[in-house]
Amino acid sequence: MSKKQPDPSAAPATATVHALPTVPGQADRLLRELEWKVIRRLDGLLQGDYRTLMRGSGLDLADLREYQPHDDVRHIDWNVTARLNLPHVRVFTEDREMSAWFLLDLSPSINFGPQGNAKRDILTGFVAVLSRLLTRHGNRVGAMLYGAGAEAPGAQRAVDHVLPPRSSRAHVLHLVHRLLAPAAAAHPQGGAGTELHRLLQAGLATVRRRSTVFVVSDFISAPGWEKPLAQLAQRHDVVAVRLLDPLELELPDVGLVTLRDAESGEQLQVDTHDAAFRHRFARLAAQREAALREGLTRAGADTLELCTDDDLVDALLRFMDLRQRRVRTARAPSQAA
């Protein structure tokens, strides 16, 4: 399917989240606004389920108790069992200190969406809130930014910035400031296009210690990202955060519309009154959706979809529910044994 998308200027302004500030020096203002409007609403919901929201990189011995039929026999403490003549098991808790990495796709296609609520705005808000939630608990957050700079035709894109993991609010501000920098524009002569596998391969080479890795992208990319994503998921706890806009799935009947390629800037005018054209567009979009979701499933990564008409609080609650279900699924085999 072509990467041509409707011109964002023609999209209806139905944003449900405030426009993000883009003036230099506004990172602190944005973060304070998100802390007040979003994080305060989430405090009572997320902190209680913190251990299901994030998984740490180690285990701490918390207690000893009598063996129950559903317990894992590998956790039996044989010394205590022999001394008390009664089977006892070790009870562990996850280490809450962890590192989280954000692998961020900032290629031109994420600039698509309603003004003030484009996919890039959704990315910025999500990363800012989640980074602040993590650092408030003493966890470290790092980031790799891909596609933030304009590329000459034929150039092979590399990661633009790497922010090593830190746990301070100042570090989160630095990350937000990077995300509020002017977006990369499509190259007028056509570029190499988004090659998401380069970002994922850079993540494999950089992130050594087991971490939670958020791959935030619209996954509009050249083929080849599935294998490195699967390799990343084998080493780390990976969450694929997919950005999308409803107009990428179905075109409204609004007459003549200019479609613009997000990467090259090439434009094409089409008549959306043509029902056959709208049907073909929706069919191709559905095929791409099916292939994308199948690829994410094969990679073994949790998937969270963030739409441009989403409420950020609702999206984070969906993420919490996703993590809870994953933990319950992981516990089921051991309990059955």
Side-chain angles (χ1 to χ4, degrees):
M1 178 180 175
S2 170
K3 293 179 66 175
K4 291 184 175 62
Q5 302 175 12
D7 191 331
S9 62
T14 58
T16 59
V17 180
H18 59 81
L20 300 179
T22 56
V23 179
Q26 292 301 307
D28 183 67
R29 176 183 172 185
L30 169 62
L31 189 56
R32 288 180 184 276
E33 187 175 346
L34 290 171
E35 286 173 335
W36 179 260
K37 292 185 176 181
V38 178
I39 295 179
R40 282 173 63 92
R41 291 173 58 190
L42 290 169
D43 269 342
L45 297 170
L46 292 182
Q47 289 183 12
D49 286 318
Y50 185 81
R51 294 181 189 275
T52 60
L53 179 65
M54 298 293 170
R55 285 182 278 181
S57 57
L59 294 173
D60 294 325
L61 178 62
D63 199 3
L64 290 167
R65 61 170 173 77
E66 290 187 18
Y67 175 82
Q68 302 294 327
H70 60 77
D71 289 331
D72 190 336
V73 295
R74 293 173 297 180
H75 294 164
I76 292 178
D77 189 311
W78 294 107
N79 290 330
V80 175
T81 297
R83 186 165 61 249
L84 299 179
N85 200 26
L86 190 66
H88 276 67
V89 294
R90 297 176 179 179
V91 179
F92 297 92
T93 59
E94 284 186 289
D95 178 10
R96 289 182 60 163
E97 293 187 5
M98 55 161 286
S99 293
W101 279 86
F102 291 93
L103 274 54
L104 304 177
D105 172 13
L106 302 179
S107 58
S109 63
I110 73 155
N111 300 328
F112 181 77
Q115 184 175 4
N117 204 45
K119 290 187 285 187
R120 186 184 180 109
D121 299 322
I122 299 299
L123 176 150
T124 302
F126 176 80
V127 171
V129 168
L130 206 52
S131 296
R132 191 65 189 116
L133 283 170
L134 290 170
T135 55
R136 288 199 314 173
H137 288 275
N139 300 303
R140 300 183 303 160
V141 169
M144 304 180 71
L145 279 58
Y146 165 84
E151 302 284 341
Q156 291 186 343
R157 294 179 176 178
V159 172
D160 298 282
H161 303 288
V162 177
L163 278 65
R166 299 287 185 271
S167 59
S168 66
R169 187 178 188 275
H171 180 66
V172 177
L173 282 172
H174 184 197
L175 173 57
V176 173
H177 179 73
R178 289 281 189 184
L179 296 178
L180 291 177
H187 199 282
Q189 299 178 5
T194 301
E195 296 176 312
L196 190 59
H197 68 275
R198 297 187 179 279
L199 172 62
L200 299 173
Q201 289 168 347
L204 281 167
T206 303
V207 186
R208 296 295 185 178
R209 180 183 177 185
R210 180 172 175 82
S211 306
T212 297
V213 178
F214 298 91
V215 181
V216 189
S217 172
D218 57 9
F219 291 90
I220 298 178
S221 167
W225 55 264
E226 294 91 345
K227 182 178 179 179
L229 181 63
Q231 292 172 335
L232 200 64
Q234 290 173 355
R235 300 184 188 179
H236 306 283
D237 179 18
V238 175
V239 181
V241 183
R242 189 216 170 177
L243 309 167
L244 71 157
D245 185 273
L247 289 179
E248 294 173 329
L249 306 178
E250 187 174 353
L251 288 177
D253 183 358
V254 291
L256 290 176
V257 173
T258 299
L259 301 182
R260 180 170 59 87
D261 190 288
E263 303 289 339
S264 68
E266 179 187 357
Q267 296 187 0
L268 177 68
Q269 195 171 60
V270 299
D271 184 7
T272 60
H273 280 322
D274 186 345
F277 171 77
R278 296 199 312 273
H279 177 73
R280 289 195 303 272
F281 184 94
R283 177 169 52 82
L284 291 173
Q287 291 174 358
R288 180 184 176 275
E289 281 288 299
L292 174 57
R293 291 177 178 175
E294 182 181 353
L296 292 171
T297 300
R298 284 199 308 267
D302 286 342
T303 303
L304 174 67
E305 291 189 346
L306 293 181
C307 191
T308 55
D309 59 5
D310 262 340
D311 178 80
L312 188 55
V313 173
D314 291 342
L316 286 166
L317 290 178
R318 288 202 311 272
F319 172 59
M320 183 181 70
D321 182 65
L322 174 73
R323 305 301 282 176
Q324 289 174 329
R325 285 188 280 109
R326 170 56 70 92
V327 169
R328 287 196 296 267
T329 302
R331 288 174 178 169
S334 62
Q335 291 178 350

